[in-house]
Amino acid sequence: MTTAPNHPLDSAADAWPDLVTAALLGTDRRPVPAPLDRAATLALARRAGLRPGPAAPPTPVAAADHRPPPPEPARQRLAMLLPARSGSGGAGQLANLNELLPQWLAAAARHGYRCPAALVPPLLDAARARSELRPDAVALAGPLGRWLADRNPDWRFVLRTPGTGERDAAAQSAGQDPRLWQEGLFAERVTYLTRLRRRDPDAARELLRGSWASERAEDRLLFLDALQEGLAAGDEPFLEAALNDRAKNVRATAAELLAALPGSALAGRMALRARDCVSVSATEAGSRLTVHPPTACDPAMQHDGIPAASPTGRAERAFWLGEVIAAAPLDTWAVHGSPAELLALPVSDAWQQDLRDAWARAAVRQGDVPWARALLALPAPDPIPVGSAAKLLAVLPTDERARWAAEFLAGHGLAEAFQLLVACPAPWPEELGRAVLDSLEQIAETGGYPWSHSGVVGVAERALPPQVEPELAVLADHAVPAWAETFARLGATLRLRAAMLAELAGRPVQVAVRAAGPGGRSGRPV
């Protein structure tokens, strides 16, 4: 600041050091200098004379996103699905918008669209509230979403969420900065390792090996989980070393990964133990399985991930037997015949269920389709439990899962079917959709309540095929009020789903008036 000669502020500026001294020593020892006797006045004068500092660098713009936006009708549909809003559907009922939003995002990802810029903030808000939306939402938001996340702490999850597909280069490069591994939050480091594992499995393993000794036990466990993707023979030495980790959970996870690795030394050791535990014996009545569970959990077994004490409260010998059989390669038993032939052999009732449960775990871990089929085909009175069946279904091809679930519904109804239906990807084939509707209709006719089956109804809203929508309209017309509302809601959801998929594909949305066919259950477009 410049002033005229002999301006009062010149002498004020000269008085500043004396004023500071008076403030430090006290005015009783050093008087306040003239011409200003008030510190605030002089401080204000000094501030008024400050020259502006250098300007801050301009904020960088978001990287370009060259993906096309969705068609305008689809953009309007997304705007409708994102807010927590209500509206009216057919017959006064609402479609379930919460179930439709994940399907819209997944379909948009398949088409390779980007999110319209104005809708990125509400999309990120929705993904913040619902973690299951995040992979598709982050991919759809693309570089603009990551740019916004750098500036809004509420959206920091974007920076540590791998987007599904990650089609845009900017989204990929944002997760490839090596500084994230050294300086990032734990979740960001997991994301970095996961992305690197997909791109270069060996480099990801070696990166983890370099910092392994300095990581916390709980972090080592989750980092080890990242190696499940792309598991290969080159990972075996690292996993074998992890069997000696000081953390029990890390040792158990390493053992599980080695058991799933074909040809690993641990799998071979488990195969030897399994043959000691289970053999095929010839008797006058024919062949049978003879079971000799381990009598102790020796140090070698503990080294390979088998706990010395059962954590589940089961008898220790039964627990050790299950751990050995579940970790042994299923081709260990090929010399005795096919899975179906082996399962048909008689075995002591004391060990039959333990043996079958362990084989089911092995089939899921190893993704063995013939064993999964054989276990699912076990007849009454000793079928595979529903919980195990749901996991085994995930091993089968998609269409085979749906057929098996439809047959189960025909024989058992919906009482135990929820886990099985979840294992069948959406949308269901028409056969399964109709089987679910038949079961719901039977429950409605026998006086059951829809809220007692809310889990199945929720899965149906995601997965019922559009072809069954006319039947839902007929069911809604003939059901008691509580079920009429449920069927109407399902029908509205199906109509809205069909419309939104047509909009995303750029097809005209066709509104069809449908009438029930003969018997009321086979509706056809009019």
Side-chain angles (χ1 to χ4, degrees), residues 2 47 63 88 108 112 114 192 211 226 253 264 266 278 285 291 348 361 369 374 396 418-419 448 466 472 477 505 512:
T2 59
R47 291 193 185 112
S88 59
R114 62 173 169 83
Y192 179 86
S211 65
T253 300
S264 70
L266 181 139
V278 179
V291 180
S348 166
R361 287 164 55 198
V369 172
L396 301 182
F418 174 72
Q419 295 178 73
L472 283 164
D477 288 342

Side-chain angles (χ1 to χ4, degrees), residues 375-449:
L375 287 159
L376 287 168
L378 287 171
D382 297 308
I384 201 76
V386 172
S388 296
K391 296 175 183 177
L392 289 166
L393 276 184
V395 177
L396 301 182
T398 300
D399 57 345
E400 195 171 343
R401 296 184 217 177
R403 284 197 303 273
W404 195 93
E407 292 172 2
F408 181 91
L409 283 175
H412 301 83
L414 284 177
E416 300 181 59
F418 174 72
Q419 295 178 73
L420 304 176
L421 295 176
V422 170
C424 298
W428 293 330
E430 188 170 351
E431 176 188 9
L432 179 55
R434 294 189 185 282
V436 171
L437 284 191
D438 287 342
S439 297
L440 289 174
E441 183 181 18
Q442 290 175 7
I443 293 169
E445 290 175 348
T446 55
Y449 298 103

Side-chain angles (χ1 to χ4, degrees), residues 77-84 101 105 115 119-120 122-124 126:
R77 182 74 65 188
L78 177 60
M80 182 191 77
L81 294 175
L82 282 174
L101 180 56
L105 296 176
C115 183
L119 295 179
V120 171
L123 174 63
L124 297 184

Side-chain angles (χ1 to χ4, degrees), residues 233-248:
D235 299 319
E236 185 175 1
F238 177 75
L239 294 174
E240 276 283 345
L243 290 176
N244 298 312
D245 195 271
R246 58 187 179 274
K248 178 177 66 175

Side-chain angles (χ1 to χ4, degrees), residues 17-91:
D18 294 334
L19 180 61
V20 172
T21 301
L24 293 173
L25 298 178
T27 55
D28 58 335
R29 297 177 58 189
R30 183 66 59 89
V32 176
L36 298 175
D37 61 357
R38 308 191 76 130
T41 306
L42 185 52
L44 179 62
R46 286 171 59 81
R47 291 193 185 112
L50 288 177
R51 292 186 176 90
T59 301
V61 299
D65 190 342
H66 300 293
R67 297 173 298 170
E72 180 58 23
R75 188 204 69 78
Q76 294 177 8
R77 182 74 65 188
L78 177 60
M80 182 191 77
L81 294 175
L82 282 174
R85 57 183 295 180
S86 60
S88 59

